Structure formats: C-alpha cells, structure tokens
Amino acid sequence: MLTDEAARADLKARGVLSAPVTIIDGAEVIIGYYPKKLISALGLADAPIDLSGRTAWLADKYRRILSAAARATCELSAEQLSRPVQWRPELLRDTLVHIVSFPELAYTSRTRGSMSSEDMRACKESLAHLNQPDDIAAYTNQVVEGITAFLNSGDTEGFDRVVPAHYGGEVTVLELLNIILSHSTHHLKQVYWFMDDQLGQPAQSPATEDDMEGIFTPAQLI
C-alpha cells in the first residue's frame, strides 16, 4: 500500500476516517475494501478472488464477531451508548447498530437486489428505535441467526447473485459478505478502543485473536 501525506490529509479533511483507504502514487484514491478495483489498480490480474468453500468460514466468523458485539453492548449502559465517538459524527450506539445492520443489509441484498446508499439510509431509519443495550443485543442475535442460516443453506443462486453495492461495486452477495465482515470487525475494534480509552471500561469478553484470525482489518485505521 503506497501512501502520500498530502492525500491522507485531504482524506481526513473530507471526513474519510473510518474506512480502509488505498492511495496509489499519491494520485489514485480507493476508498473502502474494493477487491476488483484494487486488483486492477495494483496490477494483480493473476490474483483471482476465490470464495468457493468460504460459506462455512464466513458463518463461523460472523457468529463470533457479531456475538462479541452483542456482549460488548450488554456491558454498556444507555448513558454510555449516548456518548459521541471520535471516528465520525455519531454516538457509540450508532456504531454498535452499524456493526450489525451492514451484515444484515449484505445478506438480504440477495432478495432486495442491492446494498446502496439509499438502502443504508432506510435501514438506519428503521433501526432508530433501538437505544437500549438489551434491544440492540436482541437485534444482533436475530441477525446472527439469519446470516448463519443463509450461509449454511447451500443457496448457491443467492451466494452468486451479483448486486450493486456501495462497498465493492458490482459484486456477488458472497463477495459482499466478505467485504462487510472486515468492515464490521474494524468497527468492533474501534468500540473496544473506545471502551478502554474513553470509558475506562475494557470489554470483559471481547472477541479473541482466534475469532478475528483471517479477517483483514488494518491496525493503523483503528
């Protein structure tokens, strides 16, 4: 990954603080984890995206990461959830719901047909009533059940459906789920940092290194 300080400063000024960013030769900027665009820009034409056999792995990782998010939520009070965070203009509650809602949007894109900015806004509005730790945790557990059931279903037609997505461009649902797994894990790490550094209350039962093994989340972006 090639970086340029001027480009990085420009990204910071534009508020791009919580997504993976690749800057190539100080000119081309790729925001987010966008495998197909990265392969083209970095000249990795011989690096195929092979996701065959990944459904069981994804189901296990989503169960681990989202369950860890639910545990962290239950360790917090409603007052703590209303604290603003540093990485974007939102509350801690918003980040925790975001960690879960994006995986839900990703796996349900097989029936909705997209994971667009409009889809994300509508989802955010529909979940605005979730403000209590127990309610957010219950929603999280519901999503865990839904996403793992889908990934273990053998629904190859659903896995391979190509959808337009805010993250990744034109991708299959399975590719999108891989991208969003990294996205949610990145935000979960931010929550752990906030609990430790800002609340003085480290997570009592965080996701382990084994839980996060194989999930790409650049440490410098936390």
Side-chain angles (χ1 to χ4, degrees), residues 60-192:
D60 179 58
K61 291 300 180 181
Y62 267 115
R63 178 184 58 79
R64 293 180 185 220
I65 295 303
L66 297 185
S67 295
R71 292 195 302 272
T73 301
C74 290
E75 293 174 18
L76 298 164
S77 67
E79 182 180 359
Q80 288 171 322
L81 290 178
S82 68
R83 290 276 298 270
V85 297
Q86 285 89 336
W87 45 85
R88 61 172 59 170
E90 67 180 19
L91 308 179
L92 181 58
R93 170 265 174 211
D94 301 324
T95 300
L96 285 161
V97 173
H98 180 83
I99 287 169
V100 186
S101 64
F102 270 36
E104 182 180 33
L105 281 168
Y107 94 85
T108 56
S109 68
R110 76 192 190 281
T111 56
R112 191 177 49 258
S114 65
M115 185 178 170
S116 65
S117 299
E118 291 76 14
D119 294 326
M120 291 186 286
R121 280 194 292 269
C123 180
K124 184 176 182 179
E125 291 173 4
S126 72
L127 299 173
H129 65 286
L130 297 178
N131 292 300
Q132 297 300 316
D134 288 349
D135 293 336
I136 297 172
Y139 165 64
T140 302
N141 293 331
Q142 176 185 325
V143 173
V144 170
E145 291 181 9
I147 199 168
T148 54
F150 168 62
L151 286 166
N152 290 324
S153 68
D155 180 9
T156 54
E157 183 177 350
F159 299 155
D160 295 338
R161 179 172 183 181
V162 175
V163 296
H166 182 76
Y167 290 84
E170 296 284 334
V171 290
T172 67
V173 171
L174 202 56
E175 287 174 333
L176 181 56
L177 282 166
N178 273 269
I179 293 169
I180 298 303
L181 177 62
S182 293
H183 180 87
S184 290
T185 304
H186 166 67
H187 283 303
L188 180 60
K189 288 184 175 182
Q190 288 179 319
V191 169
Y192 288 155

